Amino acid sequence: MKIRTVLIGVLFAISPVAAFSNDSVPERTRLDTNREVIQTFAQVYMEQKDYARTESLLTGYLQEDNGDGSLWVMLGQSQMAANHFAQACYAFKSASEAFKQKNDQTYALYLFADCLNRGNMQNEAMRVLSEISKSAGGVADVASRTLEMFRTGELRQGQPLPPYVESTRGMLRVSAAFGVGYDTNVLLLDEVVAANVPAKNRGSLFLNPAAQVGYLGKLWGKNFDSRYLVSFTDYTSAETKSFNSLYQRADFLWGSGEQRWGVFGETLFLNRDPFRLYDWMGGVSWNQRRKLSRNEFFDLEIPIRYQAYPLDSDGLAANDRKGEGIQIRGRYRNMTSDHTMILAQVAIDTQVTSGSNYRETQLLLPFYWTFELPGLRSVGLVNSVQAEADGQWYWSSDVKRKDLNLRAGTGLIRRWGKGWNTTLDYTHYKNFSNVDAAKYSKDTFLLMVSHDFL
């Protein structure tokens, strides 16, 4: 980098234009060349992260010639890198006025909106994005998607906006994860039986690779969000190999604004030497999202589904588990920072199966909380607390079965690098039931590393 700076300095020194004294060179040519030299030096300082020198150089030049939008953009980028948001926003706004081409003006306005949001002026940023969204083409699409992220809580005040793109192809998201853990009761043996079975015969170490691909685009004038998730669980103990599973889920959500419609499907394969389809499910959903305040959001979702269990059938009509189901779910979310979030849900679920023994109504009450550990902000550790109570009532079964499943756990989250996350979780499960064979408890430990590629 020092060699590059020296070479540029030599070129600057020997240039007949650099001395600003050669009257034989036309005025327009001198201005153009001076601008290129200033831009080159500013780029070098930016690469060296010498933002103070970059700002000083560009500010001095733009006082004499303020008509170059690209230099205003470079000035704004250097000021934003130094967290001088007020000055950076002025530079990006000036760039939008200096540019002559519509695409360049829109690019500068998007940077202006990004700067406003990073500077904790979300309402002003949304106003600029709203103006951009009225234009045509892919730029309007990315502005609309960014506004949607504000409305749904995926994007908040103080955060950078998604990268600026002009393509109308949408946004592709790819992530993967790999986990290793231990389950103390894979077989879900009831407490009396489990007490007489060695831990190594009912528990197992497991490996859990997973991947997800998502695509965000536009269809019939509305935004759509799609994803495909696949997860494999491999229990290493010979006694638990039959519980190895392959889980898949696909979702498609369509709609802009507060209301969305969706379709979804799931499959679960279990290892029955070989793997066989255990159950499948498909359905449609309606979702309403409300922004309660800057940090608070409420979702109301109603999925309607059909479910079947081709592998879990003993031929008795009363035990036929296929049938329709409906759920009404409300979710409250409060995000005050990247590391602090409260998520509370309540859901009522009813499954009307063909067989009377599996018709059920379920009440679900999950809760999730993440917060920074006191005194450990510098190392980036975030603590998580999770709890859930699920009550199930099999209202037409022969034994009128009733279950209550309690789950409680805690964990640590560490974000590092670009798109990397490491989590360490412990969870305890305990199921109470009026059927003795359904009473069980277990503990799970999981260490997982995930990465967002796109």
Side-chain angles (χ1 to χ4, degrees):
M1 185 59 68
K2 290 183 177 180
I3 295 176
R4 180 179 177 183
T5 304
V6 170
L7 288 175
I8 293 174
V10 171
L11 291 172
F12 181 62
I14 66 176
S15 170
V17 180
F20 306 105
S21 60
N22 190 342
D23 293 335
S24 64
V25 180
E27 178 69 17
R28 186 68 249 173
T29 304
R30 282 206 301 270
L31 289 174
D32 289 342
T33 306
N34 290 343
R35 184 181 298 115
E36 292 174 3
V37 171
I38 292 294
Q39 188 170 10
T40 302
F41 268 95
Q43 186 62 46
V44 172
Y45 295 150
M46 284 279 286
E47 292 176 359
Q48 295 175 336
K49 298 184 178 180
D50 191 344
Y51 304 122
R53 183 176 287 185
T54 306
E55 182 175 358
S56 175
L57 177 68
L58 291 173
T59 300
Y61 180 82
L62 287 168
Q63 288 177 349
E64 302 296 328
D65 178 12
N66 64 359
D68 192 300
S70 60
L71 292 184
W72 279 113
V73 166
M74 188 175 292
L75 175 60
Q77 290 172 333
S78 67
Q79 291 170 331
M80 196 154 62
N83 294 326
H84 299 159
F85 296 112
Q87 298 92 322
C89 290
Y90 175 80
F92 291 134
K93 186 67 168 63
S94 299
S96 71
E97 296 168 351
F99 279 128
K100 305 303 180 185
Q101 298 296 323
K102 181 65 175 178
N103 288 348
D104 294 335
Q105 293 171 350
T106 305
Y107 171 62
L109 285 175
Y110 191 83
L111 294 177
F112 180 41
D114 183 25
C115 180
L116 288 170
N117 196 57
R118 296 194 197 200
N120 295 320
M121 291 184 285
Q122 178 181 318
N123 292 335
E124 290 81 356
M126 293 179 69
R127 179 184 55 79
V128 175
L129 289 170
S130 180
E131 289 298 316
I132 297 174
S133 68
K134 296 175 183 177
S135 60
V139 174
D141 291 345
V142 71
S144 297
R145 287 195 293 267
T146 304
L147 283 170
E148 187 73 13
M149 292 173 70
F150 275 122
R151 297 187 184 104
T152 60
E154 299 173 68
L155 185 64
R156 294 177 294 102
Q157 180 169 277
Q159 293 182 316
L161 301 190
Y164 175 87
V165 293
E166 294 187 14
S167 172
T168 59
R169 293 178 298 173
M171 297 174 63
L172 183 67
R173 294 165 297 182
V174 180
S175 60
F178 185 83
V180 57
Y182 186 81
D183 187 328
T184 63
N185 188 5
V186 180
L187 306 180
L188 299 182
L189 298 178
D190 68 78
E191 294 176 340
V192 175
V193 175
N196 298 312
V197 176
K200 65 178 182 179
N201 293 337
R202 53 184 166 84
S204 176
L205 181 74
F206 65 88
L207 305 177
N208 183 207
Q212 179 172 284
V213 178
Y215 186 83
L216 184 64
K218 204 160 192 176
L219 180 67
W220 301 318
K222 301 287 187 179
N223 295 331
F224 74 82
D225 193 356
S226 59
R227 69 161 186 168
Y228 168 72
L229 169 68
V230 57
S231 176
F232 180 71
T233 303
D234 179 24
Y235 293 103
T236 61
S237 170
E239 289 78 4
T240 59
K241 280 292 185 181
S242 62
F243 284 83
N244 286 358
S245 63
L246 175 66
Y247 171 77
Q248 299 175 92
R249 181 178 174 99
D251 291 273
F252 183 92
L253 285 174
W254 178 82
S256 300
E258 293 186 345
Q259 295 192 35
R260 295 183 178 186
W261 298 89
V263 294
F264 58 89
E266 288 184 8
T267 61
L268 178 66
F269 289 80
L270 287 182
N271 182 23
R272 291 299 185 261
D273 196 23
F275 273 83
R276 296 171 60 188
L277 179 62
Y278 176 74
D279 79 276
W280 63 268
M281 176 181 67
V284 296
S285 65
W286 172 83
N287 180 277
Q288 170 119 13
R289 294 183 173 182
R290 287 285 181 90
K291 186 174 181 179
L292 305 178
S293 69
R294 178 173 293 175
N295 302 316
E296 296 176 290
F297 304 86
F298 180 78
D299 292 358
L300 176 64
E301 186 173 8
I302 303 177
I304 302 173
R305 65 186 183 276
Y306 182 84
Q307 201 162 347
Y309 294 80
L311 192 59
D312 191 20
S313 176
D314 56 9
L316 295 177
N319 291 335
D320 189 347
R321 298 179 64 181
K322 67 175 179 289
E324 300 79 16
I326 184 171
Q327 184 179 100
I328 301 175
R329 178 170 62 234
R331 180 175 66 175
Y332 169 81
R333 182 161 40 108
N334 189 329
M335 300 178 65
T336 55
S337 73
D338 289 343
H339 305 302
T340 304
M341 179 185 70
I342 294 175
L343 181 64
Q345 298 186 64
V346 57
I348 298 177
D349 188 293
T350 296
Q351 179 80 14
V352 184
T353 61
S354 298
S356 59
N357 283 339
Y358 285 97
R359 295 169 187 166
E360 64 167 309
T361 297
Q362 186 175 14
L363 175 66
L364 303 96
L365 299 169
F367 175 81
Y368 185 72
W369 178 32
T370 63
F371 55 92
E372 289 185 325
L373 290 171
L376 295 179
R377 180 188 296 266
S378 60
V379 297
L381 280 177
V382 177
N383 195 28
S384 66
V385 174
Q386 53 182 311
E388 184 171 350
D390 298 344
Q392 293 174 287
W393 176 36
Y394 295 85
W395 33 269
S396 68
S397 68
D398 295 337
V399 296
K400 297 295 187 290
R401 177 177 167 180
K402 297 178 182 178
D403 287 9
L404 174 62
N405 184 270
L406 301 179
R407 175 173 62 90
T410 186
L412 293 173
I413 305 170
R414 175 70 164 88
R415 298 180 176 92
W416 49 282
K418 186 176 181 180
W420 287 93
N421 286 277
T422 300
T423 60
L424 177 64
D425 289 308
Y426 162 74
T427 309
H428 175 74
Y429 300 82
K430 189 172 183 63
N431 193 68
F432 302 89
S433 177
N434 64 337
V435 177
D436 290 340
K439 298 176 181 178
Y440 71 87
S441 62
K442 69 172 181 173
D443 301 279
T444 62
F445 305 84
L446 176 65
L447 174 65
M448 179 167 283
V449 177
S450 62
H451 179 56
D452 297 327
F453 293 94
L454 295 173

